[in-house]
Amino acid sequence: MNPDTYRTLYGPARPAPPRPRGTGLAVMAGVLWAIALLLLFLLAFLALWAEADAGPTDGFPLRWVPICLAVAAVPIALLRTPAVRRLTVPARALVTGLAVCAISVGLAVRAA
């Protein structure tokens, strides 16, 4: 008889290794953030191109500052709510990515 058999059968219970959770959520969050950041980059590029096409300007175009602050403030404000703070990290990234993606799509539709 194998000496490890008794220990394997009647020894202390060994819990199963934990399964990785949230991988699908993390991938979806990454895709949403990539789409949102790509749209925001393209909108910023088009805005700078339109400003350059309009002729010489005096300094930085200040009309884009409130929009940039609003886009940055939404995920920060969303992360500070108690309901989102109770979520797992991948779920938080998904929720904030969804909000930023909706904002960037809205800005893209408005600009088109």
Side-chain angles (χ1 to χ4, degrees):
M1 182 168 163
N2 189 350
D4 293 331
T5 304
Y6 184 83
R7 183 178 43 217
T8 303
L9 291 175
Y10 304 111
R14 291 177 291 168
R19 293 178 36 204
R21 299 179 62 197
T23 306
L25 286 177
V27 169
M28 287 174 49
V31 168
L32 279 176
W33 273 102
I35 291 170
L37 292 177
L38 179 68
L39 280 173
L40 289 174
F41 171 74
L42 289 174
L43 285 172
F45 178 73
L46 288 175
L48 287 176
W49 193 351
E51 288 292 328
D53 190 37
T57 58
D58 297 330
F60 187 75
L62 293 179
R63 63 181 172 180
W64 291 100
V65 172
I67 294 173
C68 294
L69 289 176
V71 169
V74 166
I76 293 171
L78 193 60
L79 282 173
R80 297 190 52 82
T81 60
V84 175
R85 291 176 97 180
R86 286 190 291 265
L87 296 174
T88 61
V89 174
R92 286 183 212 167
L94 181 67
V95 168
T96 55
L98 186 61
V100 172
C101 191
I103 291 169
S104 61
V105 167
L107 286 173
V109 167
R110 183 178 179 271

